[in-house]
């Protein structure tokens, strides 16, 4: 996606990386919060076009991170937006529309269009899937995030920027599996060996071998425990 959108974005002129956020929410609020943010951005675009004659051009991505300490979710937008004036107009209307959004949590910075890292930052993920400490999100957290994103456009172009067709994923290599041919066998139970035997007296489970191994392990553990306790008693006697 970076390769596909880089050239069309560069044609828009000066680009800015814009981050728009709202306060964190609990899991039960996440889905409605994502929908509210998407509708909010649509209203901002319409307002700028109809009221100010500004047609925004760029691409936006929605991302959701998780705060383990507070058990809250942080849905937010990242944009690659053309024109500094338009970027700040987008931020202003966002703050006007969402009164609980903090100006300090919003961000606008110029993009070095010769550096691929600026574009990769937008396209790399919809959720980090790890906490700040590097701990992986639980299955429940991931379920909440992806349920909130289900049916939503993670990436959306707007204005003159057209959607680029995503490259097809590489097909997985086919594996050749050598199947064991099915056949009929007769197994007879042997009480002495505690096992099933085939026509060649081959054991199915090798029960006696496993029992012998288990006994050896238990004996070794008992001897190790005895030796440890004996040394401990000697040590205490010496100290006395």
């Amino acid at each position: 996606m970076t390769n596909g959108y880089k050239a069309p974005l560069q044609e828009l002129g000066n680009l800015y990386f814009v981050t728009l956020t709202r306060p964190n929410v609990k899991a039960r609020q996440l889905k409605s919060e994502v929908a509210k943010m998407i509708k909010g951005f649509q209203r901002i675009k319409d307002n700028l076009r109809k009221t100010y004659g500004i047609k925004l051009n760029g691409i936006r991505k929605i991302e959701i991170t998780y705060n383990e300490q507070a058990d809250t979710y942080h849905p937010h937008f990242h944009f690659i937006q053309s024109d500094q004036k338009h970027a700040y107009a987008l931020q202003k209307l966002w703050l006007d529309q969402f009164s609980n959004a903090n100006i300090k949590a919003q961000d606008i910075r110029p993009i070095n269009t010769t550096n691929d890292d600026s574009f990769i930052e937008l396209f790399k993920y919809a959720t980090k899937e790890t906490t700040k400490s590097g701990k992986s999100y639980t299955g429940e957290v991931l379920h909440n995030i992806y349920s909130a994103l289900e049916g939503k456009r993670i990436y959306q172009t707007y204005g003159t920027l057209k959607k680029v067709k995503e490259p097809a994923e590489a097909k997985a290599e086919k594996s050749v599996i050598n199947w064991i041919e099915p056949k009929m066998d007769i197994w007879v139970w042997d009480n002495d060996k505690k096992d099933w035997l085939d026509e060649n007296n081959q054991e199915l489970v090798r029960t006696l071998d496993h029992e012998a191994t288990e006994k050896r392990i238990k004996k070794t553990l008992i001897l190790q425990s005895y030796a440890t306790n004996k040394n401990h008693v000697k040590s205490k006697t010496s100290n006395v």
Side-chain angles (χ1 to χ4, degrees), residues 80-144:
I80 291 182
Q81 171 62 47
S82 67
D83 195 294
Q84 186 182 47
K85 175 185 171 184
H86 295 175
Y88 279 97
L90 171 60
Q91 183 192 74
K92 179 183 182 302
L93 289 189
W94 179 265
L95 293 169
D96 289 346
Q97 182 169 184
F98 300 114
S99 58
N100 62 346
N102 190 333
I103 180 63
K104 293 180 180 180
Q106 322 308 313
D107 187 62
I108 298 175
R109 63 186 64 188
I111 289 177
N112 178 1
T113 56
T114 62
N115 186 349
D116 282 355
D117 289 345
S118 300
F119 298 98
I120 292 172
E121 180 66 27
L122 184 81
F123 296 117
K124 59 186 179 182
Y125 45 63
T127 180
K128 294 178 180 178
E129 298 194 3
T130 56
T131 63
K132 288 184 177 180
S133 63
K135 185 178 177 181
S136 296
Y137 290 172
T138 65
E140 181 182 3
V141 169
L142 290 174
H143 172 75
N144 291 333

Side-chain angles (χ1 to χ4, degrees), residues 127-206:
T127 180
K128 294 178 180 178
E129 298 194 3
T130 56
T131 63
K132 288 184 177 180
S133 63
K135 185 178 177 181
S136 296
Y137 290 172
T138 65
E140 181 182 3
V141 169
L142 290 174
H143 172 75
N144 291 333
I145 290 173
Y146 289 120
S147 293
L149 294 174
E150 184 180 9
K152 306 294 190 298
R153 291 183 179 178
I154 305 299
Y155 302 95
Q156 182 183 26
T157 59
Y158 51 90
T160 58
L161 189 68
K162 302 302 179 185
K163 183 178 179 181
V164 173
K165 186 176 181 181
E166 295 182 32
E169 293 184 9
K171 293 182 178 179
E173 293 183 7
K174 293 182 178 179
S175 299
V176 178
I177 301 175
N178 295 321
W179 296 97
I180 298 175
E181 292 294 331
K183 62 178 181 177
M184 297 294 293
D185 275 324
I186 297 176
W187 297 81
V188 178
W189 177 256
D190 187 305
N191 284 324
D192 293 332
K193 293 187 176 181
K194 300 181 183 179
D195 209 339
W196 294 91
L197 306 179
D198 66 6
E199 59 183 359
N200 297 315
N201 287 327
Q202 295 293 318
E203 299 174 27
L204 178 64
V205 181
R206 293 177 35 245

Side-chain angles (χ1 to χ4, degrees), residues 55-101:
K55 186 175 182 180
L56 296 179
N57 294 307
I59 184 170
R60 71 114 177 110
K61 180 192 75 170
I62 190 163
E63 181 181 324
I64 301 175
T65 52
Y66 174 68
N67 185 314
E68 184 181 21
Q69 283 70 37
D71 188 27
T72 56
Y73 297 81
H74 180 51
H76 53 282
F77 280 137
H78 289 307
F79 298 84
I80 291 182
Q81 171 62 47
S82 67
D83 195 294
Q84 186 182 47
K85 175 185 171 184
H86 295 175
Y88 279 97
L90 171 60
Q91 183 192 74
K92 179 183 182 302
L93 289 189
W94 179 265
L95 293 169
D96 289 346
Q97 182 169 184
F98 300 114
S99 58
N100 62 346

Side-chain angles (χ1 to χ4, degrees), residues 199-221:
E199 59 183 359
N200 297 315
N201 287 327
Q202 295 293 318
E203 299 174 27
L204 178 64
V205 181
R206 293 177 35 245
T207 308
L208 297 180
D209 289 345
H210 293 308
E211 287 183 350
T213 300
E214 187 177 358
K215 286 180 180 178
R216 283 198 301 271
I217 293 172
K218 286 182 178 179
K219 185 177 180 181
T220 301
L221 292 174

